[in-house]
Coordinates of all heavy atoms in Angstrom, one line a residue:
M1 N -16.4 10.0 -5.3 CA -15.2 9.2 -5.5 C -15.4 8.3 -6.7 O -16.4 7.6 -6.8 CB -14.9 8.4 -4.3 CG -13.6 7.6 -4.3 SD -13.3 6.6 -2.9 CE -13.2 7.8 -1.6
T2 N -14.5 8.4 -7.7 CA -14.7 7.6 -8.9 C -13.9 6.3 -8.7 O -13.0 6.2 -8.0 CB -14.2 8.3 -10.1 OG1 -12.8 8.7 -9.9 CG2 -15.0 9.6 -10.4
D3 N -14.4 5.3 -9.5 CA -13.7 4.0 -9.4 C -12.7 3.9 -10.6 O -13.0 4.1 -11.7 CB -14.8 2.9 -9.6 CG -14.2 1.5 -9.5 OD1 -12.9 1.3 -9.4 OD2 -15.0 0.5 -9.4
N4 N -11.4 3.7 -10.2 CA -10.4 3.7 -11.3 C -10.2 2.3 -11.8 O -9.3 2.0 -12.6 CB -9.1 4.2 -10.7 CG -8.5 3.4 -9.6 OD1 -9.1 2.4 -9.2 ND2 -7.3 3.7 -9.1
G5 N -11.0 1.3 -11.4 CA -11.0 0.0 -11.9 C -10.0 -0.9 -11.2 O -9.9 -2.1 -11.5
E6 N -9.1 -0.3 -10.4 CA -8.1 -1.1 -9.7 C -8.7 -1.5 -8.3 O -9.7 -1.0 -7.8 CB -6.9 -0.3 -9.5 CG -6.2 0.1 -10.8 CD -5.0 1.0 -10.6 OE1 -4.3 0.9 -9.5 OE2 -4.7 1.8 -11.5
S7 N -8.1 -2.5 -7.7 CA -8.5 -3.0 -6.4 C -7.4 -3.4 -5.6 O -6.3 -3.6 -6.1 CB -9.5 -4.1 -6.6 OG -8.9 -5.2 -7.2
V8 N -7.6 -3.4 -4.3 CA -6.7 -4.0 -3.3 C -7.3 -5.1 -2.6 O -8.6 -5.1 -2.4 CB -6.2 -2.9 -2.3 CG1 -5.3 -1.9 -3.0 CG2 -7.3 -2.3 -1.6
E9 N -6.5 -6.1 -2.2 CA -7.1 -7.2 -1.5 C -7.1 -6.9 0.0 O -6.1 -6.6 0.6 CB -6.2 -8.5 -1.7 CG -6.8 -9.7 -1.1 CD -5.9 -10.9 -1.3 OE1 -5.7 -11.3 -2.4 OE2 -5.5 -11.5 -0.3
L10 N -8.3 -7.1 0.6 CA -8.5 -7.0 2.0 C -9.1 -8.3 2.5 O -9.4 -9.2 1.7 CB -9.5 -5.8 2.3 CG -9.0 -4.4 1.8 CD1 -10.1 -3.4 2.1 CD2 -7.7 -4.0 2.4
R11 N -9.2 -8.4 3.8 CA -9.8 -9.7 4.4 C -11.0 -9.3 5.3 O -11.1 -8.2 5.9 CB -8.8 -10.5 5.2 CG -7.7 -11.1 4.3 CD -6.9 -12.1 5.0 NE -7.6 -13.4 5.1 CZ -7.7 -14.3 4.1 NH1 -7.1 -14.1 3.0 NH2 -8.3 -15.4 4.3
R12 N -11.9 -10.3 5.3 CA -13.2 -10.1 6.1 C -13.3 -11.3 7.0 O -13.0 -12.5 6.6 CB -14.3 -10.1 5.1 CG -15.7 -10.2 5.7 CD -16.8 -10.4 4.6 NE -16.8 -9.3 3.7 CZ -16.8 -9.4 2.3 NH1 -16.6 -10.6 1.7 NH2 -16.9 -8.3 1.6
C13 N -13.7 -11.1 8.2 CA -13.9 -12.2 9.1 C -15.3 -12.7 9.1 O -16.3 -11.9 9.2 CB -13.6 -11.7 10.6 SG -13.9 -12.9 11.8
D14 N -15.5 -14.0 8.9 CA -16.8 -14.6 8.8 C -17.5 -14.6 10.1 O -18.7 -14.7 10.2 CB -16.8 -16.0 8.2 CG -16.6 -16.0 6.7 OD1 -16.8 -14.9 6.1 OD2 -16.2 -17.0 6.1
S15 N -16.7 -14.6 11.2 CA -17.3 -14.7 12.5 C -17.9 -13.4 13.1 O -19.0 -13.3 13.6 CB -16.3 -15.2 13.5 OG -15.9 -16.6 13.2
C16 N -17.1 -12.3 12.9 CA -17.5 -11.0 13.5 C -17.7 -9.9 12.5 O -18.2 -8.8 12.8 CB -16.5 -10.6 14.6 SG -15.0 -9.9 13.9
G17 N -17.3 -10.2 11.3 CA -17.6 -9.2 10.2 C -16.5 -8.1 10.1 O -16.6 -7.2 9.3
A18 N -15.4 -8.2 10.9 CA -14.4 -7.2 10.8 C -13.7 -7.2 9.5 O -13.6 -8.3 8.8 CB -13.3 -7.5 11.9
R19 N -13.2 -6.1 9.0 CA -12.5 -6.0 7.8 C -11.1 -5.5 8.2 O -10.9 -4.7 9.0 CB -13.1 -4.9 6.8 CG -14.6 -5.0 6.7 CD -15.0 -6.3 6.1 NE -16.5 -6.5 6.2 CZ -17.3 -6.3 5.2 NH1 -16.9 -5.8 4.1 NH2 -18.6 -6.5 5.4
F20 N -10.0 -6.1 7.5 CA -8.7 -5.8 7.9 C -7.7 -6.1 6.8 O -8.1 -6.7 5.8 CB -8.3 -6.6 9.2 CG -8.5 -8.1 9.1 CD1 -7.6 -8.9 8.7 CD2 -9.8 -8.6 9.5 CE1 -7.8 -10.3 8.7 CE2 -10.0 -9.9 9.5 CZ -9.0 -10.8 9.1
L21 N -6.5 -5.7 6.9 CA -5.5 -5.9 5.9 C -5.1 -7.4 5.9 O -5.2 -8.1 6.9 CB -4.2 -5.1 6.2 CG -4.4 -3.6 6.1 CD1 -3.1 -2.9 6.5 CD2 -4.9 -3.1 4.8
P22 N -4.7 -7.9 4.7 CA -4.3 -9.3 4.7 C -3.2 -9.6 5.7 O -2.3 -8.9 5.9 CB -3.8 -9.5 3.2 CG -4.5 -8.4 2.5 CD -4.6 -7.3 3.4
N23 N -3.4 -10.7 6.4 CA -2.4 -11.2 7.3 C -2.2 -12.7 7.2 O -2.9 -13.3 6.3 CB -2.7 -10.8 8.8 CG -4.0 -11.4 9.3 OD1 -4.5 -12.3 8.6 ND2 -4.5 -11.0 10.4
D24 N -1.4 -13.3 8.0 CA -1.2 -14.7 7.8 C -1.9 -15.6 8.9 O -1.6 -16.7 9.0 CB 0.3 -15.0 7.8 CG 1.0 -14.5 9.1 OD1 0.3 -14.0 10.0 OD2 2.2 -14.6 9.2
G25 N -2.9 -14.9 9.5 CA -3.5 -15.7 10.6 C -4.9 -15.3 10.9 O -5.7 -15.2 10.0
A26 N -5.2 -15.0 12.1 CA -6.5 -14.9 12.6 C -7.0 -13.4 12.5 O -6.3 -12.5 12.3 CB -6.6 -15.3 14.1
C27 N -8.3 -13.3 12.7 CA -9.0 -12.0 12.8 C -8.4 -11.2 13.9 O -8.3 -11.7 15.1 CB -10.5 -12.2 13.0 SG -11.4 -10.7 13.4
P28 N -7.9 -10.0 13.7 CA -7.3 -9.2 14.8 C -8.4 -8.7 15.8 O -8.0 -8.3 16.9 CB -6.8 -8.0 14.0 CG -7.5 -7.9 12.7 CD -7.9 -9.3 12.4
R29 N -9.6 -8.8 15.5 CA -10.6 -8.4 16.5 C -11.1 -9.6 17.4 O -11.1 -9.5 18.6 CB -11.8 -7.8 15.8 CG -12.9 -7.3 16.8 CD -14.3 -7.1 16.2 NE -14.3 -5.9 15.4 CZ -15.3 -5.6 14.5 NH1 -16.3 -6.5 14.4 NH2 -15.3 -4.5 13.8
C30 N -11.4 -10.7 16.8 CA -12.0 -11.8 17.6 C -11.2 -13.1 17.6 O -11.5 -14.0 18.4 CB -13.4 -12.1 17.1 SG -13.5 -13.1 15.5
G31 N -10.2 -13.1 16.8 CA -9.3 -14.3 16.9 C -9.7 -15.5 16.0 O -9.0 -16.5 15.9
S32 N -10.9 -15.4 15.3 CA -11.3 -16.4 14.5 C -10.4 -16.6 13.3 O -9.8 -15.7 12.8 CB -12.7 -16.1 13.9 OG -13.1 -17.0 13.0
T33 N -10.3 -17.9 12.8 CA -9.5 -18.1 11.6 C -10.4 -18.3 10.4 O -9.9 -18.6 9.3 CB -8.6 -19.4 11.8 OG1 -9.5 -20.5 12.2 CG2 -7.5 -19.2 12.8
R34 N -11.7 -18.1 10.6 CA -12.6 -18.1 9.5 C -12.6 -16.8 8.8 O -13.5 -16.0 9.0 CB -14.0 -18.5 10.0 CG -14.1 -20.0 10.5 CD -15.4 -20.3 11.1 NE -16.5 -19.9 10.1 CZ -17.6 -19.3 10.5 NH1 -17.8 -19.0 11.8 NH2 -18.6 -19.0 9.6
T35 N -11.6 -16.5 8.0 CA -11.5 -15.2 7.3 C -11.3 -15.5 5.8 O -10.9 -16.6 5.4 CB -10.3 -14.4 7.8 OG1 -9.1 -15.0 7.4 CG2 -10.4 -14.2 9.3
R36 N -11.7 -14.5 5.0 CA -11.5 -14.7 3.6 C -11.2 -13.4 2.9 O -11.5 -12.3 3.4 CB -12.8 -15.3 3.0 CG -14.0 -14.3 2.9 CD -15.2 -14.8 2.2 NE -16.0 -15.5 3.1 CZ -17.2 -16.1 2.7 NH1 -17.5 -16.1 1.5 NH2 -18.0 -16.7 3.6
A37 N -10.5 -13.5 1.8 CA -10.0 -12.4 1.0 C -11.2 -11.8 0.2 O -12.1 -12.5 -0.3 CB -8.9 -12.7 0.1
Y38 N -11.2 -10.5 0.0 CA -12.1 -9.9 -1.0 C -11.4 -8.7 -1.6 O -10.4 -8.2 -1.0 CB -13.4 -9.5 -0.3 CG -13.3 -8.3 0.6 CD1 -13.7 -7.0 0.2 CD2 -12.9 -8.5 1.9 CE1 -13.7 -6.0 1.1 CE2 -12.8 -7.4 2.8 CZ -13.2 -6.2 2.4 OH -13.2 -5.1 3.2
S39 N -11.9 -8.2 -2.7 CA -11.3 -7.1 -3.4 C -12.1 -5.8 -3.1 O -13.3 -5.8 -3.1 CB -11.3 -7.3 -4.9 OG -10.3 -8.3 -5.2
A40 N -11.4 -4.7 -2.7 CA -12.0 -3.5 -2.5 C -11.5 -2.5 -3.5 O -10.4 -2.6 -4.0 CB -11.7 -3.0 -1.1
P41 N -12.3 -1.4 -3.8 CA -11.8 -0.4 -4.7 C -10.5 0.2 -4.2 O -10.4 0.4 -2.9 CB -12.9 0.7 -4.7 CG -14.1 -0.1 -4.4 CD -13.7 -1.2 -3.4
A42 N -9.5 0.5 -5.0 CA -8.2 0.9 -4.6 C -8.1 2.4 -4.4 O -7.0 3.0 -4.6 CB -7.1 0.4 -5.6
L43 N -9.1 3.0 -3.9 CA -9.1 4.4 -3.6 C -9.3 4.6 -2.1 O -10.2 4.0 -1.5 CB -10.1 5.2 -4.4 CG -9.9 5.2 -5.9 CD1 -11.1 5.9 -6.6 CD2 -8.7 6.0 -6.3
G44 N -8.5 5.5 -1.6 CA -8.7 5.8 -0.1 C -8.6 7.3 0.1 O -8.2 8.1 -0.8
T45 N -8.9 7.7 1.3 CA -8.8 9.1 1.8 C -7.7 9.2 2.7 O -7.5 8.5 3.7 CB -10.2 9.4 2.5 OG1 -11.2 9.2 1.6 CG2 -10.2 10.9 2.9
V46 N -6.9 10.2 2.5 CA -5.7 10.5 3.3 C -6.2 11.1 4.7 O -7.0 12.1 4.7 CB -4.8 11.5 2.7 CG1 -3.7 12.0 3.6 CG2 -4.1 10.9 1.4
L47 N -5.9 10.5 5.8 CA -6.2 11.0 7.1 C -5.1 11.9 7.6 O -5.3 12.9 8.2 CB -6.4 9.8 8.1 CG -7.5 8.8 7.7 CD1 -7.6 7.7 8.7 CD2 -8.9 9.5 7.6
A48 N -3.9 11.5 7.3 CA -2.7 12.3 7.7 C -1.5 11.9 6.8 O -1.5 10.8 6.3 CB -2.4 12.1 9.2
A49 N -0.6 12.9 6.7 CA 0.6 12.5 5.9 C 1.8 13.3 6.5 O 1.6 14.3 7.1 CB 0.4 13.0 4.4
T50 N 2.9 12.7 6.3 CA 4.1 13.4 6.8 C 5.3 13.1 5.8 O 5.2 12.3 5.0 CB 4.5 12.8 8.2 OG1 5.5 13.6 8.8 CG2 5.0 11.4 8.1
E51 N 6.3 14.0 6.0 CA 7.5 13.9 5.1 C 8.7 13.8 6.0 O 8.9 14.6 6.9 CB 7.5 15.2 4.3 CG 8.6 15.2 3.3 CD 8.5 16.4 2.4 OE1 7.9 16.3 1.4 OE2 9.1 17.5 2.8
L52 N 9.5 12.8 5.7 CA 10.7 12.5 6.4 C 11.9 13.0 5.6 O 12.1 12.6 4.5 CB 10.9 11.1 6.8 CG 9.8 10.4 7.5 CD1 10.1 8.9 7.7 CD2 9.5 11.0 8.8
T53 N 12.6 14.0 6.1 CA 13.8 14.5 5.3 C 15.0 13.7 5.6 O 16.0 13.8 4.8 CB 14.0 16.0 5.7 OG1 14.2 16.1 7.1 CG2 12.9 16.9 5.2
S54 N 15.0 12.9 6.7 CA 16.2 12.0 6.9 C 15.7 10.6 7.2 O 15.7 10.2 8.3 CB 17.0 12.5 8.1 OG 17.5 13.8 7.9
P55 N 15.2 10.0 6.2 CA 14.6 8.6 6.4 C 15.7 7.6 6.7 O 16.9 7.9 6.6 CB 14.0 8.3 5.0 CG 14.7 9.1 4.0 CD 15.2 10.4 4.7
A56 N 15.2 6.4 7.1 CA 16.1 5.3 7.4 C 17.0 5.0 6.2 O 16.5 5.2 5.0 CB 15.3 4.1 7.9
E57 N 18.1 4.4 6.4 CA 19.0 4.0 5.4 C 18.3 3.2 4.3 O 17.5 2.3 4.7 CB 20.2 3.2 6.0 CG 21.3 3.0 5.0 CD 22.5 2.3 5.7 OE1 22.7 2.5 6.9 OE2 23.2 1.6 5.0
G58 N 18.5 3.4 3.1 CA 17.9 2.6 2.0 C 16.6 3.3 1.4 O 16.1 2.8 0.4
W59 N 16.2 4.4 2.0 CA 15.0 5.1 1.5 C 15.5 6.5 0.9 O 16.4 7.1 1.5 CB 14.0 5.3 2.6 CG 13.4 4.1 3.1 CD1 13.8 3.4 4.2 CD2 12.4 3.3 2.5 NE1 13.0 2.3 4.4 CE2 12.1 2.2 3.4 CE3 11.6 3.4 1.4 CZ2 11.2 1.2 3.1 CZ3 10.6 2.5 1.1 CH2 10.4 1.4 1.9
H60 N 14.8 6.9 -0.1 CA 15.2 8.2 -0.7 C 14.6 9.3 0.1 O 13.5 9.1 0.7 CB 14.6 8.2 -2.1 CG 15.3 7.3 -3.1 ND1 16.6 7.4 -3.5 CD2 14.8 6.1 -3.6 CE1 16.9 6.4 -4.3 NE2 15.8 5.6 -4.4
A61 N 15.2 10.4 0.1 CA 14.7 11.6 0.8 C 14.2 12.6 -0.3 O 14.9 12.7 -1.3 CB 15.8 12.3 1.6
P62 N 13.1 13.3 -0.1 CA 12.2 13.1 1.1 C 11.4 11.9 0.9 O 11.0 11.5 -0.2 CB 11.4 14.4 1.0 CG 11.3 14.7 -0.5 CD 12.6 14.3 -1.0
H63 N 11.1 11.3 2.1 CA 10.3 10.1 2.1 C 8.9 10.5 2.7 O 8.9 11.0 3.8 CB 11.0 9.1 3.0 CG 10.4 7.7 3.1 ND1 10.1 7.0 2.0 CD2 10.0 7.0 4.1 CE1 9.5 5.8 2.3 NE2 9.4 5.8 3.6
R64 N 7.9 10.2 1.9 CA 6.6 10.7 2.4 C 5.7 9.5 2.7 O 5.6 8.5 2.0 CB 5.9 11.5 1.2 CG 6.7 12.8 0.9 CD 6.1 13.6 -0.1 NE 6.9 14.8 -0.4 CZ 7.6 15.0 -1.5 NH1 7.6 14.1 -2.5 NH2 8.4 16.1 -1.6
L65 N 5.0 9.6 3.8 CA 4.1 8.5 4.3 C 2.7 9.1 4.5 O 2.6 10.2 5.0 CB 4.6 8.0 5.6 CG 6.0 7.2 5.5 CD1 6.5 7.0 6.9 CD2 5.8 5.9 4.8
A66 N 1.7 8.3 4.3 CA 0.3 8.7 4.5 C -0.4 7.6 5.2 O -0.3 6.4 4.9 CB -0.4 9.1 3.2
L67 N -1.3 8.0 6.2 CA -2.2 7.1 6.8 C -3.5 7.3 5.9 O -4.0 8.4 5.8 CB -2.5 7.5 8.2 CG -3.6 6.8 9.0 CD1 -3.2 5.3 9.1 CD2 -3.8 7.3 10.4
V68 N -3.9 6.2 5.4 CA -5.0 6.2 4.4 C -6.2 5.3 4.9 O -5.9 4.2 5.3 CB -4.5 5.7 3.0 CG1 -5.7 5.7 2.0 CG2 -3.4 6.5 2.5
E69 N -7.4 5.8 4.8 CA -8.5 5.0 5.1 C -9.2 4.5 3.8 O -9.6 5.3 3.0 CB -9.6 5.9 5.9 CG -10.7 5.0 6.4 CD -11.6 5.7 7.4 OE1 -11.2 5.5 8.6 OE2 -12.5 6.4 7.1
M70 N -9.2 3.2 3.8 CA -9.8 2.5 2.6 C -11.3 2.3 2.8 O -11.8 2.6 3.9 CB -9.1 1.2 2.4 CG -7.6 1.3 2.2 SD -7.1 2.3 0.8 CE -7.7 1.3 -0.6
P71 N -12.0 1.8 1.8 CA -13.5 1.6 2.0 C -13.7 0.7 3.2 O -12.9 -0.2 3.5 CB -13.9 0.9 0.7 CG -12.9 1.4 -0.3 CD -11.6 1.5 0.5
E72 N -14.8 0.8 3.9 CA -15.2 0.0 5.1 C -14.2 0.2 6.2 O -14.0 -0.7 7.0 CB -15.3 -1.4 4.7 CG -16.3 -1.6 3.6 CD -16.6 -3.0 3.2 OE1 -17.3 -3.7 4.0 OE2 -16.2 -3.5 2.1
A73 N -13.6 1.4 6.3 CA -12.8 1.9 7.5 C -11.5 1.1 7.7 O -11.0 1.1 8.8 CB -13.7 1.9 8.7
V74 N -11.0 0.4 6.7 CA -9.7 -0.3 6.9 C -8.6 0.8 6.6 O -8.7 1.5 5.6 CB -9.5 -1.4 5.8 CG1 -8.1 -2.0 5.9 CG2 -10.6 -2.5 6.1
R75 N -7.7 0.9 7.6 CA -6.7 1.9 7.5 C -5.3 1.2 7.2 O -5.0 0.1 7.8 CB -6.6 2.7 8.8 CG -7.8 3.5 9.0 CD -7.8 4.3 10.2 NE -9.0 5.1 10.3 CZ -9.3 6.0 11.3 NH1 -8.4 6.1 12.3 NH2 -10.4 6.7 11.3
L76 N -4.5 1.9 6.5 CA -3.1 1.4 6.2 C -2.2 2.6 6.1 O -2.6 3.7 5.8 CB -3.1 0.6 4.9 CG -3.7 1.2 3.6 CD1 -2.7 2.0 2.9 CD2 -4.2 0.1 2.7
F77 N -0.9 2.3 6.2 CA 0.2 3.3 5.9 C 0.7 3.0 4.6 O 0.9 1.8 4.2 CB 1.3 3.1 7.0 CG 1.2 4.0 8.1 CD1 0.8 3.5 9.4 CD2 1.3 5.4 8.0 CE1 0.7 4.3 10.5 CE2 1.1 6.2 9.1 CZ 0.8 5.7 10.3
A78 N 0.9 4.1 3.8 CA 1.4 3.9 2.4 C 2.5 4.9 2.2 O 2.6 6.0 2.7 CB 0.3 4.2 1.4
I79 N 3.4 4.5 1.3 CA 4.5 5.3 0.8 C 3.8 6.2 -0.3 O 3.1 5.7 -1.1 CB 5.6 4.5 0.3 CG1 6.3 3.7 1.4 CG2 6.7 5.4 -0.4 CD1 7.2 2.6 0.8
V80 N 4.1 7.5 -0.2 CA 3.5 8.4 -1.2 C 4.4 8.6 -2.4 O 5.6 8.9 -2.2 CB 3.2 9.8 -0.5 CG1 2.6 10.7 -1.6 CG2 2.2 9.6 0.6
D81 N 3.8 8.4 -3.6 CA 4.5 8.7 -4.8 C 4.0 10.0 -5.3 O 2.9 10.2 -5.5 CB 4.2 7.6 -5.9 CG 4.8 6.3 -5.5 OD1 5.9 6.2 -5.0 OD2 4.1 5.2 -5.8
G82 N 4.9 11.0 -5.3 CA 4.5 12.3 -5.7 C 4.6 13.3 -4.5 O 5.2 13.0 -3.5
G83 N 3.8 14.4 -4.7 CA 3.9 15.4 -3.6 C 3.1 15.0 -2.4 O 2.4 14.0 -2.4
L84 N 3.4 15.7 -1.3 CA 2.8 15.4 0.0 C 1.3 15.8 -0.1 O 0.9 16.9 -0.3 CB 3.4 16.3 1.1 CG 3.0 16.0 2.5 CD1 3.5 14.6 2.9 CD2 3.6 17.0 3.5
P85 N 0.4 14.7 0.1 CA -1.0 15.0 0.0 C -1.5 15.7 1.3 O -0.9 15.5 2.4 CB -1.6 13.6 -0.2 CG -0.7 12.7 0.5 CD 0.7 13.3 0.3
S86 N -2.6 16.4 1.2 CA -3.2 17.0 2.4 C -4.3 16.1 2.9 O -4.8 15.2 2.1 CB -3.7 18.4 2.1 OG -4.6 18.4 1.0
A87 N -4.7 16.3 4.1 CA -5.7 15.4 4.7 C -7.0 15.6 3.9 O -7.3 16.8 3.5 CB -6.0 15.8 6.2
G88 N -7.7 14.5 3.6 CA -8.9 14.6 2.8 C -8.7 14.3 1.4 O -9.6 14.1 0.6
A89 N -7.4 14.3 0.9 CA -7.1 14.0 -0.5 C -7.5 12.5 -0.8 O -7.3 11.7 0.0 CB -5.7 14.3 -0.8
I90 N -7.9 12.3 -2.0 CA -8.2 11.0 -2.5 C -6.9 10.4 -3.2 O -6.4 11.1 -4.1 CB -9.4 10.9 -3.5 CG1 -10.6 11.6 -2.8 CG2 -9.7 9.5 -4.0 CD1 -11.1 10.8 -1.6
V91 N -6.5 9.2 -2.8 CA -5.3 8.6 -3.4 C -5.7 7.3 -3.9 O -6.5 6.6 -3.4 CB -4.2 8.6 -2.4 CG1 -3.6 10.0 -2.1 CG2 -4.5 7.9 -1.1
A92 N -5.0 6.9 -5.0 CA -5.0 5.5 -5.5 C -4.0 4.7 -4.8 O -2.8 5.1 -4.7 CB -4.8 5.5 -7.0
V93 N -4.4 3.5 -4.3 CA -3.5 2.7 -3.4 C -3.2 1.4 -4.2 O -4.1 0.8 -4.8 CB -4.1 2.4 -2.1 CG1 -3.2 1.4 -1.3 CG2 -4.3 3.7 -1.3
R94 N -1.9 1.0 -4.1 CA -1.6 -0.4 -4.6 C -0.6 -1.0 -3.7 O 0.1 -0.3 -3.0 CB -1.1 -0.3 -6.1 CG 0.2 0.4 -6.2 CD 0.6 0.7 -7.7 NE 1.7 1.6 -7.7 CZ 3.0 1.3 -7.7 NH1 3.3 0.0 -7.7 NH2 3.9 2.2 -7.8
R95 N -0.6 -2.3 -3.7 CA 0.3 -3.1 -2.9 C 1.5 -3.4 -3.8 O 1.4 -3.8 -5.0 CB -0.3 -4.3 -2.4 CG 0.6 -5.0 -1.4 CD -0.2 -6.1 -0.6 NE 0.7 -6.6 0.4 CZ 0.3 -7.5 1.3 NH1 -0.9 -7.9 1.3 NH2 1.2 -8.0 2.2
E96 N 2.7 -3.2 -3.2 CA 3.9 -3.6 -4.0 C 4.8 -4.4 -3.0 O 5.4 -3.8 -2.1 CB 4.6 -2.3 -4.4 CG 5.8 -2.5 -5.3 CD 6.4 -1.2 -5.8 OE1 5.8 -0.5 -6.6 OE2 7.4 -0.8 -5.2
G97 N 4.7 -5.7 -3.2 CA 5.5 -6.5 -2.2 C 4.9 -6.4 -0.8 O 3.7 -6.6 -0.7
E98 N 5.7 -6.0 0.1 CA 5.3 -5.9 1.5 C 4.8 -4.5 1.9 O 4.4 -4.3 3.0 CB 6.4 -6.2 2.4 CG 6.8 -7.7 2.3 CD 5.7 -8.7 2.7 OE1 5.1 -8.5 3.7 OE2 5.4 -9.5 1.8
V99 N 4.8 -3.6 0.9 CA 4.4 -2.2 1.2 C 3.2 -1.7 0.4 O 2.9 -2.3 -0.7 CB 5.5 -1.2 1.1 CG1 6.7 -1.6 2.0 CG2 6.0 -1.1 -0.4
Y100 N 2.5 -0.7 0.8 CA 1.5 -0.1 0.1 C 2.0 1.2 -0.5 O 2.8 1.9 0.2 CB 0.2 0.2 0.9 CG -0.5 -1.1 1.2 CD1 -0.2 -1.8 2.4 CD2 -1.4 -1.6 0.4 CE1 -0.8 -3.0 2.7 CE2 -2.1 -2.8 0.7 CZ -1.8 -3.5 1.9 OH -2.4 -4.7 2.2
R101 N 1.6 1.6 -1.7 CA 2.0 2.9 -2.2 C 0.8 3.6 -2.6 O -0.2 3.0 -3.1 CB 2.9 2.7 -3.5 CG 4.2 1.8 -3.2 CD 5.1 1.9 -4.4 NE 5.9 3.1 -4.4 CZ 7.2 3.1 -3.8 NH1 7.7 2.1 -3.3 NH2 7.8 4.3 -3.9
A102 N 0.8 4.9 -2.4 CA -0.3 5.8 -2.7 C 0.1 6.9 -3.6 O 1.2 7.4 -3.5 CB -0.9 6.4 -1.4
R103 N -0.7 7.2 -4.6 CA -0.5 8.3 -5.5 C -1.8 9.1 -5.6 O -2.9 8.6 -5.5 CB 0.0 7.8 -6.9 CG -1.0 7.1 -7.7 CD -0.5 6.8 -9.1 NE -1.6 6.2 -9.9 CZ -2.0 5.0 -9.8 NH1 -1.4 4.1 -9.0 NH2 -3.0 4.6 -10.6
T104 N -1.6 10.4 -5.8 CA -2.7 11.3 -5.9 C -3.5 10.9 -7.2 O -2.8 10.7 -8.2 CB -2.3 12.7 -6.0 OG1 -1.5 13.0 -4.8 CG2 -3.5 13.7 -6.0
E105 N -4.8 10.8 -7.1 CA -5.6 10.5 -8.3 C -5.4 11.5 -9.3 O -5.5 12.7 -9.1 CB -7.0 10.4 -7.9 CG -7.9 9.8 -9.0 CD -9.4 9.8 -8.6 OE1 -9.8 10.6 -7.8 OE2 -10.1 9.0 -9.1
P106 N -5.1 11.1 -10.6 CA -5.0 12.1 -11.7 C -6.4 12.8 -11.9 O -7.4 12.3 -11.7 CB -4.6 11.3 -12.9 CG -4.9 9.9 -12.5 CD -5.0 9.7 -11.0
A107 N -6.2 14.0 -12.4 CA -7.5 14.8 -12.7 C -8.2 14.1 -13.8 O -7.7 13.5 -14.7 CB -7.1 16.2 -13.1
P108 N -9.6 14.1 -13.7 CA -10.4 13.5 -14.7 C -10.1 14.1 -16.1 O -9.8 15.3 -16.2 CB -11.8 13.8 -14.3 CG -11.8 14.5 -13.0 CD -10.4 14.9 -12.7
S109 N -10.0 13.2 -17.1 CA -9.7 13.7 -18.5 C -11.0 13.8 -19.3 O -12.0 13.2 -19.0 CB -8.7 12.8 -19.1 OG -9.1 11.5 -19.1
Ligands
ZN201 ZN1 -13.5 -11.6 13.7

């Protein structure tokens, strides 16, 4: 896996060491509020992906979603930009407002 130089913000719990997505409160594992942000490489592995042909109002069809595992086993759901990735594909992930977006990593040049 290559580093594209981008990163996503994740959080780490100082009490139990859990890694998780940024939230507004406590560690989801132990409840501690001693958590801090850190930056992780913005590349993840697709665990599963699906395509909705009739998404909820306000979304374009087809609407593609992927379950992505980031470094240190943090998992997130992302909207897929581009074609439907297969399981095991490497995607670049970025946060856009309240959602994550994933795109297939471009071929090395
Ligand atoms: Zn914790």
Side-chain angles (χ1 to χ4, degrees):
M1 186 182 297
T2 57
D3 186 349
N4 63 359
E6 296 176 29
S7 63
V8 290
E9 184 183 299
L10 302 176
R11 290 193 79 81
R12 169 191 296 129
C13 175
D14 284 343
S15 295
C16 75
R19 316 294 168 103
F20 51 93
L21 297 177
N23 64 8
D24 55 5
C27 169
R29 183 199 282 169
C30 75
S32 172
T33 54
R34 293 175 50 224
T35 67
R36 71 175 90 179
Y38 72 100
S39 290
L43 292 174
T45 304
V46 173
L47 299 177
T50 191
E51 183 174 271
L52 306 177
T53 53
S54 299
E57 192 177 330
W59 296 97
H60 295 289
H63 185 54
R64 300 183 179 106
L65 295 168
L67 176 62
V68 180
E69 185 165 271
M70 302 302 291
E72 306 186 68
V74 174
R75 293 178 178 184
L76 55 82
F77 268 109
I79 297 167
V80 176
D81 293 321
L84 187 67
S86 51
I90 303 299
V91 290
V93 175
R94 66 189 165 89
R95 188 165 185 174
E96 188 178 285
E98 294 299 306
V99 301
Y100 290 92
R101 303 190 81 97
R103 69 177 187 276
T104 304
E105 188 182 28
S109 54

